[in-house]
Amino acid sequence: MLFLYNLMVQFAGFLLKIIALFSPKMKLFVDGRKVVFPLLEQKIKPTDKTIWFHAASLGEYEQGLPVIEKIKEQFPSHKIVVTFFSPSGYEVRKNNTVADVTVYLPLDTKKNAKQFVKLIHPDLVFFIKYEYWPNYLAELKNSNTKTYLISGILRENQLFFKWYGGFYRDALDAFTYFFVQNETSKKLLQQIGKTNVAVSGDTRFDRVVAILEKDNSLDFISDFKDNTLTIVVGSSWPKDEDLLVNFINSNAFNVKFIIAPHNIKDEQIQQLKNSITKKTVLFSEKEGKQLADFDVFIIDTIGILTKIYSYADIAYVGGGFGNPGVHNILEPATFGVPIVIGPNYSHFAEAIALANLEACVSVNNQKELNEALENLIRNDDIRQEKGHISSTFVQMNKGATAIILKNILND
């Protein structure tokens, strides 16, 4: 099976080069990997001490950030190397300040894995939540490198737990320790003989709790809000926007809306703006405007949604009408905001928990969306109660980073 896997990786590398000719995203994926080894040779000396963190994409990076920051504090003489698999992670966080070197992870071939591990010669390695690359893990095992999975999630439909997944199970032997989010993941690993497992929880809670300690003020959002009840729509997709625009255009409440779409391409932003009949302004055209005069503020930039959530009275988090499902609901939750989402959230434990606690309301259609928002707008007590449950839930689940650090430092 490993032989077939290696053939598939080689074929995928060839195929991606062809796709890159027609796809801007795949071009970033392919071209970004061409400079990895020369950059590492330039940035990492043979005498350097290094620690490597790998994140599949942006969400995993944000999830691992509390651990990266704490490890950096504990090992100040080490260089931090961060790798991404996806352009959607790398392109957004390639200029982060926590890592000394940030690069794409080369495709998982034996040659790439050997060269990569040799160049960065890490003392510690952390894989965040997902992604188990057999050749990289084999190389780390061969070099006796301490390797950890943090905020791991395991599901019984994964290849590890199939009768034909032996080579994939063998790859897990590289891990010194598994820090997983829940008991289900721990039991699944134990079923295949892995006893070096601890349930540490989800480090994302630590990240969002830390947000509260930062300056989240944005003067232009405060000017727009103008002490008016405000609904913040975060990471919305067209299906979300179709329903929300209908509500925005038809409601008669004294309420304002801030929309931060997942996709900020000019054509889609203009289409969204043109569909709204209320007075609407874009972030890119806000200068010189009396923002308090507008009803809807569309954020056609990235990187400020977290701070915007601090101004929300109600949050709608997008993605729940598509696959894989709803986006990050912990950011509004940490600010004590009641949350509305679409129906697809079954893969997200925090969404399931908050829905069960009734701090998060899932809607399936226009009628349910209208009812949910109208109920939250009209009832201060309900809005405050759901918000309080949200913030309490986040506070009660923090602490994963401390558990991970304690185990690693005592290892």
Side-chain angles (χ1 to χ4, degrees), residues 144-163:
N144 294 315
T145 304
K146 290 184 177 181
T147 303
Y148 302 92
L149 177 69
I150 57 175
S151 288
I153 285 277
L154 283 298
R155 296 188 177 90
E156 61 182 354
N157 62 348
Q158 288 175 298
L159 194 56
F160 308 117
F161 312 111
K162 305 294 185 182
W163 65 266

Side-chain angles (χ1 to χ4, degrees), residues 86-97:
S86 166
S88 57
Y90 176 79
E91 296 301 326
V92 175
R93 289 291 180 262
K94 61 185 176 183
N95 296 317
N96 70 81
T97 56

Side-chain angles (χ1 to χ4, degrees), residues 93-153:
R93 289 291 180 262
K94 61 185 176 183
N95 296 317
N96 70 81
T97 56
V98 73
D100 297 282
V101 186
T102 303
V103 293
Y104 281 102
L105 182 69
L107 291 180
D108 185 35
T109 65
K110 288 184 177 181
K111 180 181 178 181
N112 285 345
K114 190 174 187 66
Q115 186 176 358
F116 185 89
V117 173
K118 182 179 179 180
L119 280 173
I120 67 170
H121 48 271
D123 292 328
L124 300 171
V125 176
F126 298 87
F127 283 70
I128 305 167
K129 189 177 180 178
Y130 293 129
E131 296 215 324
Y132 311 89
W133 298 111
N135 287 313
Y136 280 101
L137 290 172
E139 196 61 38
L140 292 171
K141 181 184 177 183
N142 292 339
S143 60
N144 294 315
T145 304
K146 290 184 177 181
T147 303
Y148 302 92
L149 177 69
I150 57 175
S151 288
I153 285 277

Side-chain angles (χ1 to χ4, degrees), residues 271-406:
Q271 185 177 348
L272 174 60
K273 182 182 179 183
N274 292 339
S275 69
I276 298 171
T277 57
K278 301 287 178 71
K279 196 172 182 183
T280 303
V281 63
L282 303 182
F283 172 87
S284 59
E285 60 184 25
K286 71 181 189 304
E287 299 304 325
K289 301 279 178 46
Q290 292 293 322
L291 295 177
D293 294 339
F294 291 87
D295 304 303
V296 182
F297 198 167
I298 298 176
I299 310 300
D300 55 343
T301 189
I302 60 174
I304 60 174
L305 176 58
T306 300
K307 293 188 176 191
I308 292 173
Y309 277 134
S310 71
Y311 291 87
D313 296 289
I314 302 164
Y316 178 97
V317 179
F321 282 94
N323 290 310
V326 68
H327 287 274
N328 187 358
I329 69 171
L330 291 180
E331 289 181 350
T334 199
F335 289 112
V337 180
I339 302 159
V340 180
I341 60 175
N344 296 341
Y345 62 92
S346 61
H347 289 304
F348 303 90
E350 69 280 5
I352 294 170
L354 282 171
N356 289 338
L357 291 168
E358 298 184 356
C360 176
V361 181
S362 173
V363 299
N364 294 282
N365 51 48
Q366 187 74 62
K367 181 176 180 291
E368 291 181 7
L369 174 70
N370 293 354
E371 290 174 351
L373 292 180
E374 288 172 6
N375 185 41
L376 289 169
I377 292 169
R378 284 196 176 102
N379 297 285
D380 291 350
D381 290 344
I382 292 175
R383 195 168 62 246
Q384 291 172 12
E385 179 186 2
K386 290 182 183 297
H388 177 69
I389 294 171
S390 290
S391 60
T392 301
F393 172 76
V394 172
Q395 291 292 332
M396 290 180 65
N397 283 280
K398 66 183 181 181
T401 302
I403 294 172
I404 293 168
L405 261 292
K406 181 180 178 181

Side-chain angles (χ1 to χ4, degrees), residues 169-188:
R169 282 192 294 277
D170 291 343
L172 297 181
D173 291 342
F175 285 103
T176 307
Y177 217 83
F178 300 87
F179 296 99
V180 296
Q181 292 187 32
N182 53 41
E183 286 289 340
T184 299
S185 296
K186 180 180 179 179
K187 289 176 181 176
L188 285 169

